[in-house]
């Protein structure tokens, strides 16, 4: 999460990191990962290869990092939810609201990024690490909201892990089904609704019976 009190030096470092990541993604989308080099990324980002190495350990890490603002947006939105809102509902509203606010171009960019993940297996460990980081950030948010000690109370970790699993599963389903770009928020909302219901499957079974009627 970005602090509102971030100093100029920290802000400059964040902007440099984002510039490098955006350059890496642009080149990966244009040319693929196999022939992409750190020198090319650095050149496009107007930094030296040494500066690149100060921010990222590999080109794969840089490519996946271009998506980081999306996950930060989820966390920031969760922080802003009403204090008396149940934790899982707060995460649901934060995630669904954030994706509803994405422009059509942002959604299409996300799709292209996810397609890269499918095409190049070298990106997947970094995507998993990104989900792990999101889970850790949401765990901290839940702990703060509930006053729980995340090192002694399982609750914040359980809620954040369930929420991230719902996000991952729903995004995967959305991509595989070829659903329209604007369907993602509704699918996430449905995924969180099923999670909140205890994953009884009742809604799914009713839909299946209607289709078979």
């Amino acid at each position: 999460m970005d602090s509102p009190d971030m100093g100029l030096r920290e802000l400059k470092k964040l902007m440099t990191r984002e510039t490098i990541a955006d350059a890496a993604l642009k080149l990966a989308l244009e040319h693929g990962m196999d022939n992409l080099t750190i020198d090319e990324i650095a050149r496009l980002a107007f930094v030296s290869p040494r500066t690149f190495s100060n921010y990222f350990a590999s080109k794969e890490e840089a490519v996946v990092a271009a998506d980081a603002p999306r996950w930060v947006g989820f966390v920031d939105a969760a922080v802003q939810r009403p204090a008396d809102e149940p934790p899982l509902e707060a995460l649901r509203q934060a995630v669904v609201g954030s994706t509803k606010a994405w422009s059509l171009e942002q959604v299409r960019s996300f799709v292209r990024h996810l397609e890269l993940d499918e095409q190049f297996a070298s990106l997947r460990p970094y995507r998993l690490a990104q989900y792990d980081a999101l889970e850790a950030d949401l765990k901290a948010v839940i702990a703060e909201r509930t006053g729980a000690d995340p090192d002694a109370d399982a609750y914040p970790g359980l809620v954040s892990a369930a929420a991230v699993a719902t996000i991952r599963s729903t995004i995967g389903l959305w991509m595989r089904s070829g659903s329209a770009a604007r369907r993602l928020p509704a699918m996430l909302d449905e995924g969180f609704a099923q999670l909140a219901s205890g994953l009884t499957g009742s809604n799914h079974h009713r839909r299946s019976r209607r289709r078979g009627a």
Side-chain angles (χ1 to χ4, degrees):
M1 289 177 285
D2 300 337
S3 168
D5 299 322
M6 183 182 295
L8 182 59
R9 182 176 181 182
E10 289 76 14
L11 181 59
K12 182 177 179 181
K13 289 174 67 175
L14 177 62
M15 292 175 65
T16 300
R17 180 182 177 84
E18 290 180 350
T19 298
I20 294 171
D22 288 344
L25 176 59
K26 182 177 187 298
L27 290 171
L29 289 171
E30 290 177 354
H31 307 297
M33 293 296 301
D34 293 339
N35 298 315
L36 180 61
T37 68
I38 289 174
D39 284 347
E40 289 173 327
I41 297 170
R43 189 178 305 113
L44 184 60
F46 297 100
V47 299
S48 68
R50 181 176 179 179
T51 297
F52 175 99
S53 299
N54 288 337
Y55 288 88
F56 298 105
S58 68
K59 62 185 182 182
E60 289 84 3
E61 184 183 9
V63 169
V64 173
D67 254 351
R70 302 181 196 280
W71 314 128
V72 172
F74 289 171
V75 177
D76 288 346
V79 170
Q80 299 300 319
R81 296 303 303 171
D84 61 348
E85 195 170 48
L88 185 59
E89 180 62 16
L91 297 189
R92 175 184 181 176
Q93 295 298 332
V95 171
V96 173
S98 295
T99 51
K100 280 183 178 178
W102 291 353
S103 68
L104 186 57
E105 181 51 40
Q106 285 175 316
V107 176
R108 288 171 174 166
S109 174
F110 187 42
V111 169
R112 291 194 295 269
H113 208 161
L114 294 175
E115 288 173 344
L116 273 180
D117 292 355
E118 290 300 313
Q119 186 177 359
F120 298 101
S122 61
L123 295 173
R124 294 172 198 166
Y126 297 94
R127 177 67 71 186
L128 291 175
Q130 199 172 60
Y131 278 122
D132 287 345
L134 174 62
E135 184 178 324
D137 286 343
L138 292 179
K139 178 180 177 180
V141 172
I142 297 302
E144 178 68 23
R145 290 176 65 90
T146 60
D149 180 354
D151 296 322
D153 189 336
Y155 182 75
L158 289 172
V159 174
S160 61
V164 172
T166 300
I167 293 168
R168 285 186 57 190
S169 177
T170 303
I171 288 174
L173 177 62
W174 173 63
M175 287 291 293
R176 292 191 302 274
S177 67
S179 296
R182 287 302 187 186
R183 277 282 297 151
L184 179 58
M187 293 178 70
L188 285 165
D189 192 49
E190 182 177 343
F192 272 95
Q194 291 189 30
L195 177 63
S197 73
L199 298 176
T200 61
S202 57
N203 292 337
H204 173 75
H205 292 157
R206 281 196 295 270
R207 286 196 303 274
S208 297
R209 285 197 296 269
R210 284 198 299 269
R211 285 196 295 267

